[in-house]
Amino acid sequence: GQQVMQIPQYQHVQEGEDFTTYCNSSTTLSNIQWYKQRPGGHPVFLIQLVKSGEVKKQKRLTFQFGEAKKNSSLHITATQTTDVGTYFCAGPRNQGGKLIFGQGTELSVKP
Amino acid sequence: GAVVSQHPSWVICKSGTSVKIECRSLDFQATTMFWYRQFPKQSLMLMATSNEGSKATYEQGVEKDKFLINHASLTLSTLTVTSAHPEDSSFYICSAREGTVLPLHFGNGTRLTVT
């Protein structure tokens, strides 16, 4: 079945270091979304990418959507302790449009 | 921005009892709401899609008689975990969207512990 895979599962960085999480879909996606979930909290929408090769930035966060619209990445420059949490990518299922979430990448930042 | 309220935030119940979780869209109408389940350090697994005025559609492997969903109005969906067992202990999160427009807005989640 359709799958959305995300790596790595965990990433521990020193504050100030960069961080990247990668998302790969088994099928072409019409769009991809990224969510952040703080420890004990609920997922919060970050961004949606729609176009092939699209790149969007939100301050220190850079999001990319692959040319084939099957992969995506989230890069954080100079991480801060406030970046701690789990980052999920999600893509719509081919049938019905329901969102399929990746496994998430848990980011911890050591001050 | 769109706000989804979920209640209760946490609940502890005894094995065999039923628990009802409410999900409300506070400032928009949601014809569709989604119920997810999340185990510790795992991803969100879609359990069912709640449709206003009609029956919910359940994902494969989810028991509809155990997880009762009612979407009585455009702003309220409820999930009832019937005859709860310890293995039902989990984090349940609802989400909603305005019409067919993404993104999803999530509730704060309900942490259910069955003893």
Side-chain angles (χ1 to χ4, degrees):
Chain A
Q2 186 180 358
Q3 289 185 317
V4 175
M5 294 150 285
Q6 203 173 340
I7 57 170
Q9 188 174 0
Y10 303 99
Q11 186 80 59
H12 309 284
V13 300
Q14 194 78 32
E15 189 173 23
E17 292 181 340
D18 293 354
F19 159 77
T20 305
T21 173
Y22 300 91
C23 183
N24 288 285
S25 169
S26 59
T27 62
T28 301
L29 300 171
S30 59
N31 68 79
I32 195 157
Q33 300 170 38
W34 286 90
Y35 293 80
K36 176 183 179 180
Q37 184 177 24
R38 293 182 184 275
H42 64 280
V44 174
F45 173 77
L46 293 177
I47 207 161
Q48 176 175 281
L49 304 172
V50 179
K51 299 177 182 177
S52 169
E54 187 171 14
V55 178
K56 285 189 177 180
K57 291 191 175 183
Q58 289 181 350
K59 297 183 180 179
R60 295 177 294 104
L61 278 62
T62 302
F63 303 84
Q64 287 188 307
F65 200 9
E67 293 290 341
K69 301 184 75 173
K70 294 180 69 174
N71 58 74
S72 180
S73 65
L74 158 59
H75 180 82
I76 302 179
T77 305
T79 55
Q80 299 175 359
T81 55
T82 53
D83 296 325
V84 165
T86 301
Y87 293 85
F88 292 98
C89 63
R93 191 184 293 175
N94 290 340
Q95 301 295 331
K98 300 171 187 177
L99 276 186
I100 302 175
F101 282 80
Q103 302 94 319
T105 297
E106 182 180 345
L107 172 65
S108 63
V109 179
K110 188 176 181 181
Chain B
V3 177
V4 175
S5 173
Q6 189 172 339
H7 178 82
S9 298
W10 58 270
V11 58
I12 302 172
C13 71
K14 292 186 177 181
S15 187
T17 61
S18 295
V19 174
K20 179 184 282 189
I21 303 170
E22 291 188 350
C23 180
R24 294 180 185 271
S25 57
L26 296 186
D27 51 0
F28 66 99
Q29 293 183 332
T31 55
T32 304
M33 291 185 177
F34 303 92
W35 287 95
Y36 289 86
R37 182 176 182 175
Q38 187 178 36
F39 289 105
K41 297 193 180 294
Q42 293 192 21
S43 187
L44 293 91
M45 301 303 298
L46 179 64
M47 298 175 64
T49 302
S50 174
N51 305 296
E52 188 268 337
S54 63
K55 292 182 179 180
T57 53
Y58 291 81
E59 295 299 301
Q60 192 173 8
V62 178
E63 299 176 59
K64 62 180 181 179
D65 294 330
K66 180 165 186 64
F67 299 100
L68 299 178
I69 291 173
N70 185 281
H71 197 146
S73 74
L74 287 171
T75 58
L76 173 64
S77 175
T78 60
L79 167 67
T80 301
V81 183
T82 62
S83 187
H85 291 284
E87 55 265 31
D88 298 324
S89 299
S90 188
F91 191 51
Y92 294 87
I93 316 176
C94 70
S95 67
R97 63 188 184 200
E98 298 184 61
T100 58
V101 178
L102 294 171
L104 292 179
H105 304 286
F106 284 86
N108 290 333
T110 298
R111 193 163 302 281
L112 170 64
T113 302
V114 184
T115 61

